[in-house]
């Protein structure tokens, strides 16, 4: 199977499983991943997601083999392909109502890099590399790259990465703010599991609303962001976890969140 899925407790572990191709994304694998993220988003038994790759790479981007550049095209075909393909995949990560952790092992290139950077938290093995490979192919960045990167590192750094297409090592990615933490290769899976397990015991709906607020704030003015914040808090106060959190505080004990 090109996508391996396993559940440990309330954490869903998703592994891109095309190691012979550095987990390059075929159309089928992309659609499997979109469906699986949507299922995780809606499943109350899943409260956190970890995304990683099999073998020595995270994801080499879109699989361009099989004549993707050949044949006659009708005007609009490429834009439609990007909109319904790479952009849908990145949106599936951004819109997932559960925290998504990228555990980046080895190379994350092109769409693979954007897939990782769309995640809520990014852990990188020391061997990880991020490559804006598009310029090397004479292409414009897609998969939301020109949206994501400036918001993470600012426009000048984003242009540097995209204009040159140089490989960015894990330590430099952490220094620029693309990565939350770099860990030894042998500790990546363990650390990702620990972070996910911690998130899975949190107030799931509050985390979903927080994720939405942070993501939306980057495109909002202050008044809109403040209104959204107040509305989210109003909605969240109807949840069992919010009541439990307040009760635990008053009773001077740790809250036991159930994700609802």
């Amino acid at each position: 199977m090109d996508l391996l899925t396993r559940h440990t407790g309330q954490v869903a572990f998703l592994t891109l499983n095309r190691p012979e191709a550095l987990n390059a994304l075929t159309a089928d694998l992309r659609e499997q991943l979109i469906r699986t993220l949507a299922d995780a988003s809606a499943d109350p038994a899943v409260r956190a997601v970890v995304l990683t790759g099999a073998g020595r790479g995270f994801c080499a981007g879109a699989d361009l083999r099989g004549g993707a550049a050949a044949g006659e095209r009708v005007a609009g075909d490429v834009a439609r392909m990007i909109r319904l393909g790479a952009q849908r995949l990145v949106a599936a990560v951004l819109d997932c109502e559960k925290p998504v952790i990228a555990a980046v092992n080895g190379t994350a290139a092109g769409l693979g890099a954007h897939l990782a950077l769309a995640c809520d938290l990014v852990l990188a093995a020391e061997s990880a590399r991020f490559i804006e490979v598009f310029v090397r192919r004479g292409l414009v960045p897609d998969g939301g790259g020109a949206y994501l990167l400036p918001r993470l590192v600012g426009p000048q750094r984003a242009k540097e990465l995209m204009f040159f297409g140089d490989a960015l090592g894990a330590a430099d990615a952490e220094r620029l703010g693309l990565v939350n933490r770099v860990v030894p290769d042998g500790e990546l899976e363990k650390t990702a599991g620990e972070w996910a397990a911690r998130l899975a015991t949190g107030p799931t709906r509050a985390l979903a609303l927080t994720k939405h607020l942070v993501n939306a704030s980057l495109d909002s003015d202050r008044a809109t962001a403040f209104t959204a914040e107040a509305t989210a808090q109003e909605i969240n106060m109807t949840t069992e976890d919010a009541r439990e959190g307040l009760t635990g505080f008053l009773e001077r004990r740790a809250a036991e969140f159930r994700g609802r």
Side-chain angles (χ1 to χ4, degrees):
M1 294 180 63
D2 289 348
L3 181 66
L4 302 179
T5 304
R6 66 180 174 88
H7 292 79
T8 300
Q10 294 175 300
V11 178
F13 290 86
L14 312 182
T15 303
L16 306 176
N17 189 39
R18 301 186 69 231
E20 73 287 351
L22 284 180
N23 301 311
L25 293 160
T26 61
D28 183 61
L29 175 53
R30 181 193 70 224
E31 294 303 312
Q32 288 182 60
L33 189 51
I34 290 171
R35 287 194 302 271
T36 303
L37 287 166
D39 290 344
S41 187
D43 187 351
V46 175
R47 295 171 67 184
V49 177
V50 174
L51 177 62
T52 193
R56 59 188 179 88
F58 177 75
C59 178
D63 192 334
L64 300 180
R65 294 174 299 181
E72 185 176 347
R73 291 195 181 97
V74 175
D77 279 355
V78 173
R80 189 178 307 107
M81 177 182 67
I82 297 300
R83 187 171 63 250
L84 299 180
Q87 290 177 353
R88 278 181 60 239
L89 175 59
V90 169
V93 179
L94 293 170
D95 294 340
C96 182
E97 296 181 36
K98 309 298 166 61
V100 183
I101 298 173
V104 181
N105 54 307
T107 298
L111 177 56
H114 300 165
L115 177 62
L117 299 178
C119 293
D120 303 300
L121 300 171
V122 182
L123 290 169
E126 290 177 342
S127 63
R129 300 188 309 158
F130 298 82
I131 311 173
E132 288 295 320
V133 74
F134 299 93
V135 70
R136 300 186 186 182
R137 312 286 183 255
L139 300 174
V140 172
D142 62 35
Y147 174 86
L148 293 167
L149 269 176
R151 286 163 170 77
L152 292 168
V153 299
Q156 260 66 36
R157 289 291 192 185
K159 290 172 189 174
E160 179 183 346
L161 294 171
M162 291 178 165
F163 286 3
F164 292 112
D166 294 333
L168 186 70
D172 286 334
E174 183 181 31
R175 177 178 55 82
L176 290 178
L178 291 175
V179 167
N180 291 90
R181 185 175 301 177
V182 177
V183 298
D185 286 35
E187 295 181 15
L188 180 64
E189 182 177 354
K190 174 177 176 289
T191 304
E194 290 172 348
W195 280 32
R198 184 176 175 185
L199 289 169
T201 64
T204 306
R205 293 308 303 160
L207 292 178
L209 289 165
T210 300
K211 173 175 178 172
H212 174 73
L213 285 175
V214 173
N215 288 348
S217 74
L218 299 172
D219 302 311
S220 301
D221 57 48
R222 187 184 69 181
T224 301
F226 277 24
T227 298
E229 176 187 276
T231 301
Q233 194 69 286
E234 177 77 20
I235 293 169
N236 189 64
M237 288 302 293
T238 66
T239 66
E240 292 182 22
D241 279 348
R243 290 192 290 273
E244 166 63 11
L246 293 174
T247 300
F249 172 74
L250 294 173
E251 295 179 356
R252 298 185 179 182
R253 60 172 175 80
E256 296 183 11
F257 299 120
R258 301 185 182 280
R260 56 180 185 263

